[in-house]
Short mmCIF file of all heavy atoms in Angstrom, two decimals:
data_model
loop_
_atom_site.label_atom_id
_atom_site.label_comp_id
_atom_site.label_asym_id
_atom_site.label_seq_id
_atom_site.Cartn_x
_atom_site.Cartn_y
_atom_site.Cartn_z
N ARG A 15 -12.12 6.35 22.74
CA ARG A 15 -12.99 7.19 21.86
C ARG A 15 -13.03 8.62 22.30
O ARG A 15 -13.26 8.81 23.39
CB ARG A 15 -14.30 6.56 21.77
CG ARG A 15 -15.29 6.97 20.66
CD ARG A 15 -16.54 6.12 20.66
NE ARG A 15 -17.21 5.98 21.97
CZ ARG A 15 -18.17 5.17 22.21
NH1 ARG A 15 -18.72 4.55 21.19
NH2 ARG A 15 -18.76 5.07 23.38
N GLY A 16 -12.99 9.57 21.35
CA GLY A 16 -13.05 10.94 21.63
C GLY A 16 -11.63 11.63 21.81
O GLY A 16 -11.53 12.83 21.69
N GLN A 17 -10.70 10.84 22.09
CA GLN A 17 -9.33 11.39 22.20
C GLN A 17 -8.69 11.68 20.85
O GLN A 17 -9.36 11.38 19.78
CB GLN A 17 -8.39 10.37 22.93
CG GLN A 17 -8.68 10.24 24.47
CD GLN A 17 -7.58 9.24 25.13
OE1 GLN A 17 -7.23 8.26 24.63
NE2 GLN A 17 -7.16 9.65 26.22
N GLN A 18 -7.51 12.24 20.88
CA GLN A 18 -6.86 12.49 19.63
C GLN A 18 -5.50 11.82 19.71
O GLN A 18 -5.09 11.45 20.77
CB GLN A 18 -6.64 14.04 19.33
CG GLN A 18 -5.54 14.69 20.17
CD GLN A 18 -5.22 16.01 19.64
OE1 GLN A 18 -5.97 16.56 18.80
NE2 GLN A 18 -4.19 16.59 20.02
N VAL A 19 -4.92 11.63 18.57
CA VAL A 19 -3.69 10.90 18.45
C VAL A 19 -2.71 11.47 17.37
O VAL A 19 -3.24 11.98 16.35
CB VAL A 19 -3.90 9.40 18.17
CG1 VAL A 19 -4.44 9.28 16.72
CG2 VAL A 19 -2.62 8.53 18.30
N THR A 20 -1.44 11.39 17.56
CA THR A 20 -0.42 11.86 16.62
C THR A 20 0.54 10.65 16.23
O THR A 20 1.03 10.11 17.27
CB THR A 20 0.28 13.03 17.12
OG1 THR A 20 -0.62 14.11 17.36
CG2 THR A 20 1.32 13.51 16.08
N LEU A 21 0.62 10.39 15.03
CA LEU A 21 1.62 9.30 14.61
C LEU A 21 2.71 9.98 13.76
O LEU A 21 2.49 11.04 13.15
CB LEU A 21 0.82 8.28 13.71
CG LEU A 21 -0.56 7.86 14.17
CD1 LEU A 21 -1.16 6.83 13.19
CD2 LEU A 21 -0.40 7.21 15.51
N SER A 22 3.82 9.38 13.91
CA SER A 22 5.09 10.03 13.31
C SER A 22 5.71 8.98 12.37
O SER A 22 5.58 7.78 12.39
CB SER A 22 6.05 10.30 14.40
OG SER A 22 7.12 10.94 13.89
N CYS A 23 6.27 9.72 11.29
CA CYS A 23 6.93 8.88 10.24
C CYS A 23 8.18 9.60 9.89
O CYS A 23 8.26 10.71 9.64
CB CYS A 23 6.04 8.82 9.10
SG CYS A 23 6.78 8.20 7.52
N SER A 24 9.30 8.79 9.81
CA SER A 24 10.55 9.29 9.30
C SER A 24 10.92 8.56 7.96
O SER A 24 11.05 7.26 7.90
CB SER A 24 11.66 9.03 10.35
OG SER A 24 11.54 9.78 11.44
N PRO A 25 10.93 9.31 6.97
CA PRO A 25 11.16 8.67 5.54
C PRO A 25 12.60 8.12 5.40
O PRO A 25 13.47 8.49 6.37
CB PRO A 25 10.88 9.72 4.58
CG PRO A 25 11.28 10.92 5.34
CD PRO A 25 10.82 10.78 6.78
N ILE A 26 12.92 7.38 4.44
CA ILE A 26 14.22 6.94 4.18
C ILE A 26 15.02 8.20 3.86
O ILE A 26 14.53 9.09 3.28
CB ILE A 26 14.19 6.05 2.91
CG1 ILE A 26 13.50 4.71 3.30
CG2 ILE A 26 15.60 5.74 2.39
CD1 ILE A 26 13.29 3.80 2.02
N SER A 27 16.31 8.15 4.31
CA SER A 27 17.17 9.33 4.09
C SER A 27 17.19 9.72 2.76
O SER A 27 17.51 8.87 1.83
CB SER A 27 18.50 8.97 4.73
OG SER A 27 19.45 10.07 4.45
N GLY A 28 16.99 11.03 2.43
CA GLY A 28 16.99 11.60 1.07
C GLY A 28 15.68 11.44 0.29
O GLY A 28 15.52 12.18 -0.64
N HIS A 29 14.72 10.76 0.93
CA HIS A 29 13.43 10.72 0.42
C HIS A 29 12.60 12.10 0.84
O HIS A 29 12.62 12.44 1.98
CB HIS A 29 12.59 9.56 0.80
CG HIS A 29 13.01 8.31 -0.01
ND1 HIS A 29 12.26 7.21 0.02
CD2 HIS A 29 14.14 8.03 -0.69
CE1 HIS A 29 12.86 6.23 -0.72
NE2 HIS A 29 14.01 6.76 -1.19
N ARG A 30 11.94 12.70 -0.11
CA ARG A 30 11.29 13.93 0.23
C ARG A 30 9.76 13.80 0.14
O ARG A 30 9.04 14.74 0.52
CB ARG A 30 11.79 14.97 -0.71
CG ARG A 30 13.25 15.22 -0.58
CD ARG A 30 13.69 16.49 -1.38
NE ARG A 30 13.47 16.26 -2.83
CZ ARG A 30 13.44 17.39 -3.69
NH1 ARG A 30 13.52 18.62 -3.20
NH2 ARG A 30 13.25 17.17 -4.93
N SER A 31 9.19 12.78 -0.40
CA SER A 31 7.73 12.63 -0.47
C SER A 31 7.28 11.61 0.44
O SER A 31 7.80 10.50 0.56
CB SER A 31 7.37 12.18 -1.96
OG SER A 31 6.04 12.00 -2.14
N VAL A 32 6.19 11.88 1.18
CA VAL A 32 5.66 11.02 2.25
C VAL A 32 4.22 10.80 1.91
O VAL A 32 3.46 11.82 1.77
CB VAL A 32 5.86 11.41 3.64
CG1 VAL A 32 5.13 10.63 4.64
CG2 VAL A 32 7.39 11.52 3.92
N SER A 33 3.70 9.61 1.94
CA SER A 33 2.31 9.40 1.91
C SER A 33 1.77 8.50 3.01
O SER A 33 2.63 7.82 3.54
CB SER A 33 1.97 8.59 0.61
OG SER A 33 2.23 9.41 -0.54
N TRP A 34 0.58 8.67 3.37
CA TRP A 34 -0.04 7.87 4.53
C TRP A 34 -1.21 7.04 3.91
O TRP A 34 -2.01 7.57 3.04
CB TRP A 34 -0.52 8.80 5.55
CG TRP A 34 0.58 9.52 6.40
CD1 TRP A 34 1.16 10.62 6.03
CD2 TRP A 34 1.06 9.09 7.57
NE1 TRP A 34 2.08 11.08 7.00
CE2 TRP A 34 2.01 10.02 8.00
CE3 TRP A 34 0.87 7.95 8.39
CZ2 TRP A 34 2.73 9.93 9.17
CZ3 TRP A 34 1.58 7.90 9.59
CH2 TRP A 34 2.51 8.87 9.95
N TYR A 35 -1.36 5.84 4.46
CA TYR A 35 -2.40 4.94 4.08
C TYR A 35 -3.01 4.37 5.36
O TYR A 35 -2.33 4.20 6.35
CB TYR A 35 -1.90 3.80 3.19
CG TYR A 35 -1.47 4.16 1.85
CD1 TYR A 35 -0.14 4.73 1.66
CD2 TYR A 35 -2.26 4.12 0.66
CE1 TYR A 35 0.29 5.14 0.38
CE2 TYR A 35 -1.78 4.42 -0.55
CZ TYR A 35 -0.59 5.02 -0.73
OH TYR A 35 -0.13 5.41 -1.91
N GLN A 36 -4.29 4.06 5.32
CA GLN A 36 -5.02 3.43 6.36
C GLN A 36 -5.34 1.94 5.95
O GLN A 36 -5.71 1.74 4.75
CB GLN A 36 -6.27 4.04 6.76
CG GLN A 36 -6.99 3.47 7.87
CD GLN A 36 -8.53 3.83 7.92
OE1 GLN A 36 -9.27 3.64 7.05
NE2 GLN A 36 -8.86 4.54 9.02
N GLN A 37 -4.99 0.96 6.71
CA GLN A 37 -5.31 -0.47 6.38
C GLN A 37 -6.26 -1.01 7.37
O GLN A 37 -5.91 -1.10 8.64
CB GLN A 37 -3.99 -1.23 6.34
CG GLN A 37 -4.32 -2.61 5.72
CD GLN A 37 -2.97 -3.54 5.62
OE1 GLN A 37 -1.87 -3.16 6.07
NE2 GLN A 37 -3.04 -4.50 4.83
N THR A 38 -7.46 -1.48 6.92
CA THR A 38 -8.46 -2.14 7.80
C THR A 38 -8.75 -3.44 7.14
O THR A 38 -8.78 -3.50 5.89
CB THR A 38 -9.53 -1.30 8.09
OG1 THR A 38 -10.25 -0.95 6.89
CG2 THR A 38 -9.24 -0.01 8.79
N PRO A 39 -9.25 -4.39 7.94
CA PRO A 39 -9.73 -5.66 7.23
C PRO A 39 -10.90 -5.34 6.35
O PRO A 39 -11.13 -6.11 5.33
CB PRO A 39 -10.19 -6.48 8.42
CG PRO A 39 -9.35 -5.96 9.64
CD PRO A 39 -9.25 -4.55 9.39
N GLY A 40 -11.82 -4.41 6.66
CA GLY A 40 -12.95 -4.16 5.89
C GLY A 40 -12.73 -3.39 4.61
O GLY A 40 -13.29 -3.77 3.54
N GLN A 41 -11.96 -2.32 4.83
CA GLN A 41 -11.70 -1.41 3.69
C GLN A 41 -10.42 -1.60 2.92
O GLN A 41 -10.12 -0.95 1.87
CB GLN A 41 -11.83 0.05 4.19
CG GLN A 41 -13.16 0.39 4.79
CD GLN A 41 -14.28 0.33 3.71
OE1 GLN A 41 -14.17 0.67 2.56
NE2 GLN A 41 -15.33 -0.33 4.10
N GLY A 42 -9.55 -2.48 3.53
CA GLY A 42 -8.25 -2.66 2.82
C GLY A 42 -7.31 -1.48 2.91
O GLY A 42 -7.38 -0.77 4.01
N LEU A 43 -6.51 -1.23 2.03
CA LEU A 43 -5.49 -0.11 2.07
C LEU A 43 -6.08 1.08 1.34
O LEU A 43 -6.33 0.97 0.17
CB LEU A 43 -4.26 -0.58 1.25
CG LEU A 43 -3.31 -1.45 2.10
CD1 LEU A 43 -2.55 -2.46 1.24
CD2 LEU A 43 -2.28 -0.65 2.91
N GLN A 44 -6.23 2.22 2.05
CA GLN A 44 -6.77 3.28 1.52
C GLN A 44 -5.80 4.51 1.67
O GLN A 44 -5.31 4.74 2.82
CB GLN A 44 -8.16 3.65 2.16
CG GLN A 44 -9.17 2.63 1.76
CD GLN A 44 -10.65 3.07 2.22
OE1 GLN A 44 -10.81 3.17 3.38
NE2 GLN A 44 -11.39 3.44 1.33
N PHE A 45 -5.71 5.32 0.63
CA PHE A 45 -4.85 6.47 0.67
C PHE A 45 -5.44 7.62 1.48
O PHE A 45 -6.62 8.01 1.34
CB PHE A 45 -4.70 6.98 -0.83
CG PHE A 45 -3.98 8.25 -0.97
CD1 PHE A 45 -2.55 8.32 -0.94
CD2 PHE A 45 -4.68 9.50 -1.18
CE1 PHE A 45 -1.92 9.46 -1.11
CE2 PHE A 45 -4.01 10.57 -1.36
CZ PHE A 45 -2.61 10.62 -1.37
N LEU A 46 -4.60 8.12 2.40
CA LEU A 46 -5.01 9.26 3.32
C LEU A 46 -4.57 10.65 2.68
O LEU A 46 -5.38 11.44 2.40
CB LEU A 46 -4.41 9.06 4.66
CG LEU A 46 -5.24 8.14 5.60
CD1 LEU A 46 -4.32 7.62 6.72
CD2 LEU A 46 -6.41 8.82 6.14
N PHE A 47 -3.27 10.73 2.67
CA PHE A 47 -2.79 11.94 1.98
C PHE A 47 -1.27 11.89 1.64
O PHE A 47 -0.69 10.90 2.04
CB PHE A 47 -2.91 13.25 2.98
CG PHE A 47 -3.05 12.99 4.33
CD1 PHE A 47 -2.05 12.38 5.10
CD2 PHE A 47 -4.27 13.38 5.03
CE1 PHE A 47 -2.21 12.17 6.48
CE2 PHE A 47 -4.43 13.10 6.44
CZ PHE A 47 -3.39 12.54 7.13
N GLU A 48 -0.81 12.87 0.96
CA GLU A 48 0.59 12.89 0.40
C GLU A 48 1.16 14.25 0.65
O GLU A 48 0.53 15.34 0.47
CB GLU A 48 0.52 12.60 -1.17
CG GLU A 48 1.74 12.91 -1.93
CD GLU A 48 1.40 13.20 -3.40
OE1 GLU A 48 0.35 12.90 -3.77
OE2 GLU A 48 2.18 13.73 -4.04
N TYR A 49 2.44 14.23 1.11
CA TYR A 49 3.11 15.47 1.27
C TYR A 49 4.46 15.50 0.54
O TYR A 49 5.14 14.56 0.47
CB TYR A 49 3.33 15.62 2.86
CG TYR A 49 2.21 15.92 3.61
CD1 TYR A 49 1.38 14.95 4.09
CD2 TYR A 49 1.82 17.24 3.85
CE1 TYR A 49 0.21 15.22 4.77
CE2 TYR A 49 0.74 17.61 4.53
CZ TYR A 49 -0.14 16.49 4.91
OH TYR A 49 -1.24 16.79 5.66
N PHE A 50 4.80 16.67 0.07
CA PHE A 50 6.11 16.92 -0.50
C PHE A 50 6.37 18.32 -0.28
O PHE A 50 5.63 19.25 -0.40
CB PHE A 50 5.95 16.67 -2.01
CG PHE A 50 7.27 17.01 -2.71
CD1 PHE A 50 8.35 16.08 -2.69
CD2 PHE A 50 7.46 18.21 -3.38
CE1 PHE A 50 9.52 16.39 -3.41
CE2 PHE A 50 8.62 18.46 -4.01
CZ PHE A 50 9.67 17.49 -4.01
N SER A 51 7.59 18.56 0.18
CA SER A 51 8.13 19.89 0.37
C SER A 51 7.13 20.74 1.39
O SER A 51 6.85 21.86 1.07
CB SER A 51 8.28 20.69 -0.96
OG SER A 51 9.15 21.84 -0.79
N GLU A 52 6.82 19.97 2.36
CA GLU A 52 6.02 20.59 3.42
C GLU A 52 4.53 20.92 3.11
O GLU A 52 3.85 21.66 3.82
CB GLU A 52 6.67 21.78 4.14
CG GLU A 52 7.98 21.45 4.74
CD GLU A 52 8.73 22.64 5.32
OE1 GLU A 52 8.19 23.17 6.30
OE2 GLU A 52 9.74 23.05 4.75
N THR A 53 4.14 20.51 1.87
CA THR A 53 2.82 20.83 1.33
C THR A 53 1.98 19.54 1.06
O THR A 53 2.54 18.55 0.45
CB THR A 53 3.01 21.60 -0.01
OG1 THR A 53 3.72 22.72 0.23
CG2 THR A 53 1.66 22.06 -0.56
N GLN A 54 0.72 19.64 1.32
CA GLN A 54 -0.19 18.50 1.05
C GLN A 54 -0.52 18.65 -0.37
O GLN A 54 -1.07 19.58 -0.85
CB GLN A 54 -1.33 18.56 1.97
CG GLN A 54 -2.30 17.34 1.78
CD GLN A 54 -3.55 17.44 2.64
OE1 GLN A 54 -4.59 17.99 2.21
NE2 GLN A 54 -3.41 16.94 3.89
N ARG A 55 -0.20 17.65 -1.13
CA ARG A 55 -0.42 17.61 -2.57
C ARG A 55 -1.74 16.93 -3.01
O ARG A 55 -2.27 17.09 -3.98
CB ARG A 55 0.75 16.91 -3.34
CG ARG A 55 2.01 17.67 -3.19
CD ARG A 55 3.11 17.11 -4.02
NE ARG A 55 2.93 17.39 -5.42
CZ ARG A 55 2.57 16.51 -6.41
NH1 ARG A 55 2.46 15.20 -6.04
NH2 ARG A 55 2.41 16.80 -7.67
N ASN A 56 -2.17 15.96 -2.08
CA ASN A 56 -3.36 15.21 -2.48
C ASN A 56 -3.85 14.62 -1.11
O ASN A 56 -3.15 14.34 -0.20
CB ASN A 56 -2.84 14.07 -3.40
CG ASN A 56 -4.05 13.45 -4.19
OD1 ASN A 56 -5.27 13.90 -4.05
ND2 ASN A 56 -3.79 12.37 -4.95
N LYS A 57 -5.12 14.45 -1.20
CA LYS A 57 -5.86 13.92 0.01
C LYS A 57 -6.98 12.90 -0.43
O LYS A 57 -7.67 13.10 -1.37
CB LYS A 57 -6.59 15.07 0.76
CG LYS A 57 -7.12 14.74 2.13
CD LYS A 57 -7.74 15.98 2.83
CE LYS A 57 -7.96 15.76 4.25
NZ LYS A 57 -8.65 14.62 4.73
N GLY A 58 -7.01 11.90 0.32
CA GLY A 58 -8.05 10.82 0.14
C GLY A 58 -9.30 11.17 0.65
O GLY A 58 -9.55 12.22 1.24
N ASN A 59 -10.22 10.36 0.57
CA ASN A 59 -11.68 10.55 0.88
C ASN A 59 -11.84 10.27 2.41
O ASN A 59 -12.50 9.21 2.82
CB ASN A 59 -12.55 9.78 0.06
CG ASN A 59 -13.98 10.12 0.32
OD1 ASN A 59 -14.29 11.19 0.67
ND2 ASN A 59 -14.86 9.20 0.04
N PHE A 60 -11.30 11.06 3.31
CA PHE A 60 -11.35 10.89 4.65
C PHE A 60 -11.93 12.19 5.31
O PHE A 60 -11.73 13.25 4.72
CB PHE A 60 -9.99 10.48 5.34
CG PHE A 60 -9.63 9.13 5.22
CD1 PHE A 60 -9.13 8.60 3.91
CD2 PHE A 60 -9.86 8.19 6.15
CE1 PHE A 60 -8.82 7.26 3.79
CE2 PHE A 60 -9.55 6.90 6.01
CZ PHE A 60 -9.02 6.37 4.85
N PRO A 61 -12.54 12.01 6.43
CA PRO A 61 -13.11 13.30 7.02
C PRO A 61 -12.03 14.16 7.59
O PRO A 61 -10.88 13.80 7.74
CB PRO A 61 -13.97 12.76 8.28
CG PRO A 61 -13.45 11.31 8.48
CD PRO A 61 -13.01 10.80 7.19
N GLY A 62 -12.41 15.37 7.87
CA GLY A 62 -11.43 16.47 8.34
C GLY A 62 -10.75 16.17 9.65
O GLY A 62 -9.82 16.81 9.90
N ARG A 63 -11.19 15.13 10.33
CA ARG A 63 -10.58 14.71 11.55
C ARG A 63 -9.23 14.23 11.31
O ARG A 63 -8.32 14.19 12.24
CB ARG A 63 -11.42 13.62 12.38
CG ARG A 63 -12.88 14.11 12.68
CD ARG A 63 -13.49 12.90 13.52
NE ARG A 63 -13.61 11.68 12.79
CZ ARG A 63 -13.04 10.58 12.88
NH1 ARG A 63 -11.98 10.57 13.81
NH2 ARG A 63 -13.21 9.48 12.16
N PHE A 64 -8.94 13.75 10.14
CA PHE A 64 -7.65 13.32 9.73
C PHE A 64 -6.87 14.39 9.09
O PHE A 64 -7.26 15.10 8.20
CB PHE A 64 -7.78 12.17 8.74
CG PHE A 64 -8.33 10.92 9.27
CD1 PHE A 64 -9.73 10.78 9.43
CD2 PHE A 64 -7.58 9.80 9.64
CE1 PHE A 64 -10.32 9.61 9.98
CE2 PHE A 64 -8.11 8.66 10.13
CZ PHE A 64 -9.48 8.64 10.32
N SER A 65 -5.64 14.69 9.66
CA SER A 65 -4.87 15.75 9.10
C SER A 65 -3.38 15.35 9.18
O SER A 65 -3.07 14.32 9.86
CB SER A 65 -5.05 16.98 9.91
OG SER A 65 -4.64 16.84 11.18
N GLY A 66 -2.48 16.09 8.53
CA GLY A 66 -1.24 15.74 8.67
C GLY A 66 -0.36 16.95 8.35
O GLY A 66 -0.81 18.04 8.06
N ARG A 67 0.97 16.78 8.42
CA ARG A 67 1.94 17.80 8.07
C ARG A 67 3.18 17.15 7.86
O ARG A 67 3.51 16.06 8.22
CB ARG A 67 2.00 18.91 9.24
CG ARG A 67 2.46 18.31 10.56
CD ARG A 67 2.55 19.48 11.47
NE ARG A 67 2.98 19.00 12.86
CZ ARG A 67 3.31 19.88 13.91
NH1 ARG A 67 3.27 21.16 13.65
NH2 ARG A 67 3.63 19.37 15.00
N GLN A 68 4.10 17.94 7.12
CA GLN A 68 5.44 17.52 6.90
C GLN A 68 6.39 18.62 7.24
O GLN A 68 6.14 19.80 7.10
CB GLN A 68 5.64 17.19 5.38
CG GLN A 68 6.95 16.62 5.07
CD GLN A 68 7.14 16.31 3.58
OE1 GLN A 68 6.66 17.05 2.72
NE2 GLN A 68 7.99 15.26 3.27
N PHE A 69 7.46 18.22 7.88
CA PHE A 69 8.48 19.16 8.36
C PHE A 69 9.54 19.33 7.30
O PHE A 69 9.72 18.64 6.40
CB PHE A 69 9.05 18.70 9.65
CG PHE A 69 8.07 18.51 10.73
CD1 PHE A 69 7.41 17.26 10.96
CD2 PHE A 69 7.63 19.51 11.45
CE1 PHE A 69 6.44 17.04 11.94
CE2 PHE A 69 6.61 19.37 12.44
CZ PHE A 69 5.98 18.16 12.69
#
Side-chain angles (χ1 to χ4, degrees):
Chain A
R15 193 171 49 184
Q17 289 185 315
Q18 75 166 16
V19 67
T20 299
L21 312 181
S22 181
C23 170
S24 292
I26 293 172
S27 177
H29 283 197
R30 300 190 295 161
S31 178
V32 173
S33 297
W34 289 87
Y35 293 82
Q36 182 197 62
Q37 185 174 19
T38 60
Q41 299 297 318
L43 281 147
Q44 293 189 292
F45 173 81
L46 277 157
F47 23 64
E48 166 206 340
Y49 286 90
F50 177 80
S51 198
E52 301 178 66
T53 301
Q54 186 181 91
R55 296 186 72 245
N56 198 1
K57 190 178 192 316
N59 189 24
F60 280 84
R63 300 185 295 107
F64 291 81
S65 62
R67 60 178 176 168
Q68 186 181 33
F69 301 95

